Short mmCIF file of all heavy atoms in Angstrom, two decimals:
data_model
loop_
_atom_site.label_atom_id
_atom_site.label_comp_id
_atom_site.label_asym_id
_atom_site.label_seq_id
_atom_site.Cartn_x
_atom_site.Cartn_y
_atom_site.Cartn_z
N ASP A 296 -14.23 -2.70 56.91
CA ASP A 296 -15.34 -2.43 55.97
C ASP A 296 -16.15 -1.22 56.48
O ASP A 296 -17.43 -1.32 56.67
CB ASP A 296 -16.22 -3.66 55.73
CG ASP A 296 -15.41 -4.65 54.94
OD1 ASP A 296 -15.47 -4.60 53.70
OD2 ASP A 296 -14.78 -5.59 55.58
N HIS A 298 -16.33 1.60 54.70
CA HIS A 298 -16.92 2.09 53.42
C HIS A 298 -17.36 3.58 53.58
O HIS A 298 -18.46 3.95 53.05
CB HIS A 298 -18.15 1.22 53.13
CG HIS A 298 -17.82 -0.12 52.47
ND1 HIS A 298 -17.86 -0.42 51.20
CD2 HIS A 298 -17.39 -1.34 53.19
CE1 HIS A 298 -17.53 -1.68 51.00
NE2 HIS A 298 -17.24 -2.20 52.19
N ARG A 308 -26.08 -0.75 53.26
CA ARG A 308 -24.85 0.00 53.53
C ARG A 308 -25.17 1.46 53.72
O ARG A 308 -25.66 2.19 52.78
CB ARG A 308 -23.82 -0.16 52.42
CG ARG A 308 -23.47 -1.63 52.15
CD ARG A 308 -22.48 -1.78 51.06
NE ARG A 308 -22.14 -3.20 50.95
CZ ARG A 308 -21.32 -3.78 50.21
NH1 ARG A 308 -20.54 -3.06 49.49
NH2 ARG A 308 -21.09 -5.05 50.17
N GLY A 336 -9.47 -3.05 55.85
CA GLY A 336 -9.81 -2.76 54.41
C GLY A 336 -11.17 -2.21 54.14
O GLY A 336 -12.10 -2.32 54.97
N ASP A 337 -11.33 -1.58 52.91
CA ASP A 337 -12.57 -0.89 52.54
C ASP A 337 -12.92 0.22 53.54
O ASP A 337 -14.01 0.37 54.08
CB ASP A 337 -13.81 -1.82 52.35
CG ASP A 337 -13.72 -2.71 51.11
OD1 ASP A 337 -12.68 -2.57 50.39
OD2 ASP A 337 -14.54 -3.62 50.81
N ASN A 372 -10.66 -3.84 48.20
CA ASN A 372 -10.89 -3.50 46.86
C ASN A 372 -11.57 -2.17 46.72
O ASN A 372 -11.24 -1.40 45.79
CB ASN A 372 -11.85 -4.51 46.23
CG ASN A 372 -13.00 -4.95 47.15
OD1 ASN A 372 -12.83 -5.33 48.33
ND2 ASN A 372 -14.21 -4.88 46.66
N HIS A 373 -12.42 -1.75 47.68
CA HIS A 373 -13.04 -0.37 47.59
C HIS A 373 -12.06 0.78 47.87
O HIS A 373 -12.30 1.82 47.39
CB HIS A 373 -14.23 -0.28 48.54
CG HIS A 373 -15.42 -1.11 48.10
ND1 HIS A 373 -16.29 -0.55 47.27
CD2 HIS A 373 -15.70 -2.38 48.31
CE1 HIS A 373 -17.35 -1.50 46.98
NE2 HIS A 373 -16.93 -2.59 47.64
N HIS A 453 -7.66 -8.43 53.71
CA HIS A 453 -9.03 -8.11 53.43
C HIS A 453 -9.89 -9.19 53.00
O HIS A 453 -10.91 -9.60 53.53
CB HIS A 453 -9.10 -6.85 52.49
CG HIS A 453 -10.50 -6.37 52.27
ND1 HIS A 453 -11.19 -5.81 53.28
CD2 HIS A 453 -11.27 -6.40 51.19
CE1 HIS A 453 -12.47 -5.44 52.83
NE2 HIS A 453 -12.47 -5.86 51.54
N HIS A 487 -14.28 -8.22 54.30
CA HIS A 487 -14.73 -8.35 52.86
C HIS A 487 -16.12 -8.98 52.76
O HIS A 487 -16.90 -8.46 51.85
CB HIS A 487 -13.77 -9.22 52.11
CG HIS A 487 -13.86 -9.09 50.59
ND1 HIS A 487 -14.06 -7.95 49.92
CD2 HIS A 487 -13.76 -10.14 49.62
CE1 HIS A 487 -14.12 -8.22 48.65
NE2 HIS A 487 -13.92 -9.48 48.47
N HIS A 489 -18.43 -9.04 55.06
CA HIS A 489 -19.27 -8.16 55.91
C HIS A 489 -19.99 -8.87 57.07
O HIS A 489 -20.70 -8.31 57.86
CB HIS A 489 -20.34 -7.40 55.08
CG HIS A 489 -19.73 -6.34 54.27
ND1 HIS A 489 -20.44 -5.25 53.87
CD2 HIS A 489 -18.47 -6.10 53.77
CE1 HIS A 489 -19.59 -4.38 53.12
NE2 HIS A 489 -18.42 -4.98 53.13
ZN1 ZN B 792 -16.52 -4.22 52.12
#
Side-chain angles (χ1 to χ4, degrees):
D296 294 274
H298 286 258
R308 299 180 182 187
D337 287 358
N372 47 307
H373 286 270
H453 181 68
H487 195 44
H489 288 207

